[in-house]
Amino acid sequence: MDLVSGYKGVVGLVFGNENSGSNEDSYVERLLDRISNGKLAEDRRNAMIELQAIVAESRGAQLAFGAMGFPVMLAVLKEERDDVEMVRGALETLVGALTPIEHAKGPKNEVQPALMNTDLLSREADSISLLLSLLSEEDFYVRYYTLQLLTALLTNSPNRLQEAILTIPRGITRLMDMLMDREVIRNEALLLLTYLTREAEEIQKIVVFEGAFEKIFSIIKEEGGSEGGVVVQDCLQLLNNLLRTNASNQILLRETMGFDPIISILKLRGSTYSFTQQKTINLLSALETINLLMMGGTEADPGKDANKLTNKATLVQKKVLDHLLLLGVESQWAPVAVRCAALQCIGDLIAGQPKNLDILATKVLGEEPQTEPALNSILRILLRTSSMQEFIAADYVFKSFCEKNSDGQTMLASTLIPQPHLMTHAPLEEDVNMSFGSMLLHGLTLSENDGDLETCCRAASVLSHVLKDNVQCKERVIRIELEPPMPSLGASEPLMHRMVKYMALASSMKNKDGKSSTTGNLFASPSYISA
């Protein structure tokens, strides 16, 4: 039994039986007959308009069309290229046949006409090749509806379309040409290419070979970078598809256009304080691009590590750290998601990279005379933020900074100098002029109420990174004593004594429901106590 006969059988089941004489079934059949065999051009066009309308509105008509309509429409596309109106009508009808119609929920096993029609069209011999050839037509609407049709096919039947496009000479080239077309067509082509490149490595390579990077960055620049609309988001999604699991594409980008076009997207333009939802999405997409480059490729790629190191070195050379610090640390009016993503990138950028670690350690933020080391600013964020997500991101920066970096740990530990009694009891907001270590000790030794214990917990997490696997730093911290003398001890209170006391207190705290509090769970976890 051939495919069309099989689908006719399904139509019979839906309409009652194959010879039920359903109104929709027979109406669609009459319209197709007029299109195929009509003698008057005007009558054929009118029949196409009627068919297009009913297929767009009725699931039953969609189903009937799928059983008998594709050969008729494809014949129009093949043989009547000179009749632009008929070609447009055929394409619009096909788009309607592949577009799901919303309706009240039916049985779970109910036939889905749009999915069925997608499968049927994708199996038609040479249908994909025919559609791609239409992209060379001069008529704007022919190209537009063709792209919509290809997108509908790709959405419902991705593997078959990907396989077909790879076998068609210049298939992808024709799609790439659409990126230089008029705006509406360009945008449709962007969506199609984004779907097409998600998991198809061969297609990713061909798209890059066809000049994808140049075209993507040209459109982003034209649309205004991060200030642009959804088109910038689509461009960045396509770019990330091309880079995500493809080390060779990353290398090609680095060695041809370089990373400047990506970094320029992170530059804040216009009203720096204005972050629309779209701008936020665009910046997050660009930060994802940076993150993908720092990953270097897939785990299975033998050249991943070397590529990762080169990408990181190139990004730092291009001053990406300045833009990440602006987004993640200095722009406290930026959305939390953007700040967290920027901090995560900073952590990834410095992890295991001695040169990058040194650069961050010497970074100073702000303008004279109100300047301070970048690490101090990040610590302040970590201690003060009301967002747990931002605390975790800032904590990751310190974890990355201290990991296998004994010099950096020693440098931070050397600033752990207790402040006079008046300073240790000063409000947290008055830490602007403190050193890194003084600010950290201030956070560690706040009062015993619940809110302050959470700050102590956060400070303890940073201290655990400073102490990890570093005997010299541990010995220094053990010797730290707090002023004034503690009456019960008859002497100054050791810092570690205070830490153990707070840990016991936090662990025993209950919330209103009688369960252990989040603060207690957090505070009990740091590893420095056992160090």
Side-chain angles (χ1 to χ4, degrees):
M1 180 176 72
D2 61 58
L3 279 169
V4 174
S5 299
Y7 280 100
K8 278 187 176 179
V10 174
V11 174
L13 290 173
V14 173
F15 288 140
N17 62 68
E18 204 168 337
N19 302 308
S20 64
S22 159
N23 287 337
E24 286 176 314
D25 194 9
S26 58
Y27 183 39
V28 168
E29 190 169 6
R30 286 198 306 274
L31 291 174
L32 288 169
D33 182 64
R34 284 168 60 191
I35 292 167
S36 295
N37 303 314
K39 302 301 181 185
L40 299 175
E42 193 63 27
D43 181 58
R44 296 180 68 239
R45 292 191 184 109
N46 288 337
M48 184 71 81
I49 292 170
E50 291 179 47
L51 181 63
Q52 177 191 327
I54 191 173
V55 166
E57 296 171 1
S58 165
R59 288 166 54 84
Q62 278 189 338
L63 202 56
F65 175 85
M68 57 188 113
F70 286 110
V72 176
M73 294 299 105
L74 293 176
V76 171
L77 298 180
K78 284 178 186 175
E79 300 162 12
E80 302 187 43
R81 292 287 185 94
D82 293 336
D83 192 335
V84 174
E85 196 172 331
M86 282 295 284
V87 171
R88 282 185 190 174
L91 287 168
E92 284 190 85
T93 303
L94 288 169
V95 170
L98 271 58
T99 303
I101 297 173
E102 295 295 329
H103 74 303
K105 283 190 174 181
K108 287 186 178 180
N109 60 349
E110 185 179 20
V111 174
Q112 301 295 319
L115 292 175
M116 186 179 290
N117 290 344
T118 301
D119 185 60
L120 189 60
L121 179 58
S122 67
R123 291 175 185 271
E124 284 282 348
D126 301 325
S127 60
I128 309 300
S129 178
L130 174 61
L131 292 174
L132 288 171
S133 72
L134 289 169
L135 295 176
S136 302
E137 292 294 310
E138 291 185 10
D139 185 75
F140 169 84
Y141 288 101
V142 168
R143 300 196 304 280
Y144 177 67
Y145 293 134
T146 298
L147 285 170
Q148 283 197 322
L149 191 52
L150 287 167
T151 301
L153 277 171
L154 186 60
T155 303
N156 296 326
S157 188
N159 293 336
R160 196 169 292 147
L161 185 62
Q162 288 169 354
E163 291 167 6
I165 285 179
L166 282 171
T167 63
I168 297 168
R170 299 193 75 252
I172 293 177
T173 305
R174 285 174 179 164
L175 292 177
M176 292 297 295
D177 289 342
M178 296 299 99
L179 291 180
M180 297 293 103
D181 210 311
R182 288 163 63 178
E183 188 175 305
V184 175
I185 288 182
R186 178 201 70 186
N187 297 347
E188 285 291 328
L190 261 177
L191 288 174
L192 178 58
L193 286 164
T194 300
Y195 288 132
L196 200 57
T197 55
R198 274 181 182 162
E199 296 178 356
E201 189 173 339
E202 282 304 308
I203 292 179
Q204 291 170 5
K205 289 179 179 178
I206 298 171
V207 166
V208 168
F209 181 77
E210 293 289 344
F213 291 142
E214 292 84 350
K215 291 180 172 70
I216 288 170
F217 289 123
S218 173
I219 295 170
I220 290 174
K221 185 177 180 181
E222 183 183 327
E223 292 291 320
S226 64
E227 301 284 347
V230 70
V231 174
V232 173
Q233 177 186 345
D234 293 338
C235 283
L236 289 169
Q237 285 180 346
L238 175 57
L239 176 66
N240 291 343
N241 284 353
L242 300 176
L243 298 176
R244 182 168 289 106
T245 58
N246 207 313
S248 60
N249 282 351
Q250 293 183 16
I251 294 169
L252 186 63
L253 174 62
R254 186 178 69 232
E255 295 181 352
T256 53
M257 297 193 71
F259 295 158
D260 286 325
I262 301 169
I263 296 172
S264 70
I265 300 168
L266 299 176
K267 292 179 181 176
L268 295 179
R269 300 177 177 85
S271 178
T272 306
Y273 297 90
S274 173
F275 281 82
T276 63
Q277 183 179 12
Q278 188 59 59
K279 180 177 178 178
T280 298
I281 293 171
N282 292 344
L283 286 169
L284 288 172
S285 298
L287 289 168
E288 183 187 359
T289 309
I290 300 294
N291 183 56
L292 291 172
L293 291 171
M294 290 191 291
M295 290 171 63
T298 61
E299 291 295 334
D301 193 326
K304 175 193 170 185
D305 290 340
N307 188 44
K308 177 167 64 175
L309 291 175
T310 307
N311 284 349
K312 285 186 178 184
T314 305
L315 287 167
V316 169
Q317 184 184 0
K318 296 295 181 180
K319 310 292 184 185
V320 74
L321 188 57
D322 292 341
H323 300 295
L324 294 175
L325 286 168
L326 180 60
L327 283 171
V329 183
E330 295 181 275
S331 301
Q332 284 302 294
W333 56 87
V336 172
V338 172
R339 301 202 304 266
C340 291
L343 287 168
Q344 181 76 30
C345 282
I346 292 171
D348 289 335
L349 191 66
I350 63 174
Q353 306 293 304
K355 186 175 180 181
N356 298 353
L357 290 166
D358 292 342
I359 292 173
L360 178 61
T362 57
K363 280 288 179 187
V364 176
L365 305 182
E367 297 179 0
E368 294 289 350
Q370 298 295 319
T371 62
E372 73 171 347
L375 288 173
N376 287 32
S377 299
I378 297 171
L379 178 61
R380 182 176 296 104
I381 290 169
L382 181 147
L383 295 175
R384 289 186 184 179
T385 182
S386 59
S387 164
M388 181 57 65
Q389 183 186 8
E390 189 170 21
F391 157 67
I392 291 170
D395 187 68
Y396 177 66
V397 174
F398 288 110
K399 179 179 183 296
S400 299
F401 182 82
C402 293
E403 192 97 33
K404 298 179 181 178
N405 179 21
S406 59
D407 289 343
Q409 289 173 304
T410 302
M411 182 268 290
L412 294 179
S414 69
T415 65
L416 291 167
I417 302 170
Q419 295 293 298
H421 179 60
L422 289 176
M423 280 298 291
T424 59
H425 288 76
L428 192 61
E429 290 73 18
E430 295 182 14
D431 59 11
V432 178
N433 298 316
M434 291 185 183
S435 68
F436 178 91
S438 297
M439 197 191 311
L440 186 60
L441 286 173
H442 189 205
L444 285 166
T445 56
L446 290 172
S447 65
E448 299 176 11
N449 64 57
D450 191 19
D452 284 347
L453 282 178
E454 181 167 346
T455 301
C456 294
C457 162
R458 295 179 179 190
S461 180
V462 176
L463 184 60
S464 71
H465 300 315
V466 174
L467 300 182
K468 185 179 179 183
D469 299 328
N470 193 313
V471 175
Q472 183 181 353
C473 291
K474 291 175 186 177
E475 291 175 347
R476 182 183 188 93
V477 168
I478 288 173
R479 292 195 298 268
I480 293 176
E481 295 185 344
L482 306 175
E483 296 290 346
M486 188 175 182
S488 62
L489 294 177
S492 299
E493 180 184 13
L495 171 65
M496 297 311 294
H497 181 278
R498 177 81 61 90
M499 292 297 91
V500 172
K501 180 176 72 173
Y502 280 2
M503 185 178 74
L505 178 62
S507 298
S508 66
M509 290 179 70
K510 306 287 184 181
N511 61 22
K512 292 179 182 178
D513 300 324
K515 298 177 182 178
S516 295
S517 70
T518 304
T519 301
N521 291 337
L522 280 170
F523 195 86
S525 63
S527 59
Y528 74 90
I529 293 294
S530 61

